[in-house]
Amino acid sequence: MKGLRVVGDYALEFLVITLLVALSAVTILPFIPILVGVTAFFGQDMGTRRFKDIFTAIGANWKILIFYTLFQLVMIVVPTLNIYFFNVHTEQMSYFVLAVSYVALVVGVIYLTTAPTIIVNMKVSFFQLLRNGIMLVFGSWWRSILSIGIVAGIVAMIIYYPYPIVLTLYAVPLINAKLMKENFYHLKAKALGTTVYELKKKLKEDDYLDEKGQIKPYDDNGEVK
């Protein structure tokens, strides 16, 4: 029975997240806030995360999300539309605009990969977000290359062959959130002069113990009273 419940939980999670991300992508403007919210959601353990975590994260970061959404509209949406247009209307090709669009798209993909994790885990201004978004890449080269490559592949799919993309709307945010969270841990541990293991252990203790070292009281939903 426990196995069936776990399968059911994952199935429900898959359907809800896929639908939510798909709807936000179609309407464009809500996509970035939803992506940040989903990143916060996947940052929790399977047994403790709730769908309301998505909207709690959006509400807690609404100010920075305004600037970040506008930034990604310029760096992702506009270049994608330009590239798609030139692919369809080759007779109107402008190589300068196309080159600028590809450069902007690369920058946009990097921040699409890193910025949600920064927003969820840090209180930053927009310019601090830009700086820390690049720094997060250095947490681990292989994780960064893998994550950026996956996100870039999805963007390319949108431009050239978008039909299978609905199958990726759960897996890609999940993988990216996990990889970038590990990068974040590595950078934070380095800054604090400790190990990733000790940092995670301390964070886990903080989740269950109050400032007096006593176990925090939880309600029936597994949330701190």
Side-chain angles (χ1 to χ4, degrees), residues 24-216:
S24 69
V26 169
T27 49
I28 300 177
L29 281 178
F31 175 70
I32 295 300
I34 289 295
L35 181 62
V36 171
V38 169
T39 299
F41 174 79
F42 284 136
Q44 308 297 320
D45 293 332
M46 179 64 184
T48 60
R49 60 192 183 216
R50 302 289 185 269
F51 291 126
K52 74 175 186 179
D53 294 338
I54 298 172
F55 303 99
T56 299
I58 293 173
N61 297 285
W62 67 270
K63 289 183 180 180
I64 188 67
L65 283 174
I66 293 174
F67 296 102
Y68 178 53
T69 299
L70 293 174
F71 173 78
Q72 288 293 41
L73 283 175
V74 174
M75 305 305 288
I76 293 285
V77 178
V78 174
T80 298
L81 293 175
N82 284 341
I83 295 168
Y84 180 80
F85 176 82
F86 289 136
N87 284 335
V88 175
H89 304 280
T90 54
E91 72 281 358
Q92 299 185 43
M93 177 73 72
S94 169
Y95 289 102
F96 175 76
V97 175
L98 186 63
V100 171
S101 296
Y102 274 116
V103 171
L105 196 58
V106 169
V107 174
V109 165
I110 292 173
Y111 282 108
L112 194 64
T113 304
T114 62
T117 296
I118 297 297
I119 292 172
V120 167
N121 292 282
M122 299 176 68
K123 292 296 182 182
V124 292
S125 67
F126 178 67
F127 292 105
Q128 289 172 333
L129 175 64
L130 296 182
R131 183 175 68 251
N132 286 302
I134 293 296
M135 290 300 299
L136 191 60
V137 174
F138 297 96
S140 167
W141 279 110
W142 76 264
R143 276 191 292 267
S144 297
I145 291 172
L146 176 59
S147 196
I148 291 171
I150 291 172
V151 174
I154 296 303
V155 173
M157 190 183 296
I158 292 172
I159 297 172
Y160 298 107
Y161 193 72
Y163 305 107
I165 199 169
V166 68
L167 301 175
T168 70
L169 298 181
Y170 175 85
V172 171
L174 172 61
I175 293 170
N176 185 65
K178 296 299 183 183
L179 292 174
M180 289 300 101
K181 187 67 175 290
E182 284 299 313
N183 274 18
F184 181 80
Y185 282 142
H186 275 73
L187 288 177
K188 187 172 182 178
K190 185 177 180 180
L192 295 175
T194 185
T195 65
V196 174
Y197 172 79
E198 290 297 330
L199 176 62
K200 288 183 178 181
K201 181 180 177 182
K202 179 64 167 59
L203 292 173
K204 198 69 174 179
E205 290 173 352
D206 290 344
D207 285 340
Y208 290 97
L209 302 178
D210 60 21
E211 64 275 7
K212 296 180 181 179
Q214 302 298 314
I215 297 176
K216 295 177 181 178

Side-chain angles (χ1 to χ4, degrees), residues 6-25:
V6 171
V7 171
D9 288 343
Y10 273 111
L12 176 62
E13 191 175 278
F14 174 84
L15 290 174
V16 172
I17 296 299
T18 298
L19 181 61
L20 194 59
V21 176
L23 289 174
S24 69

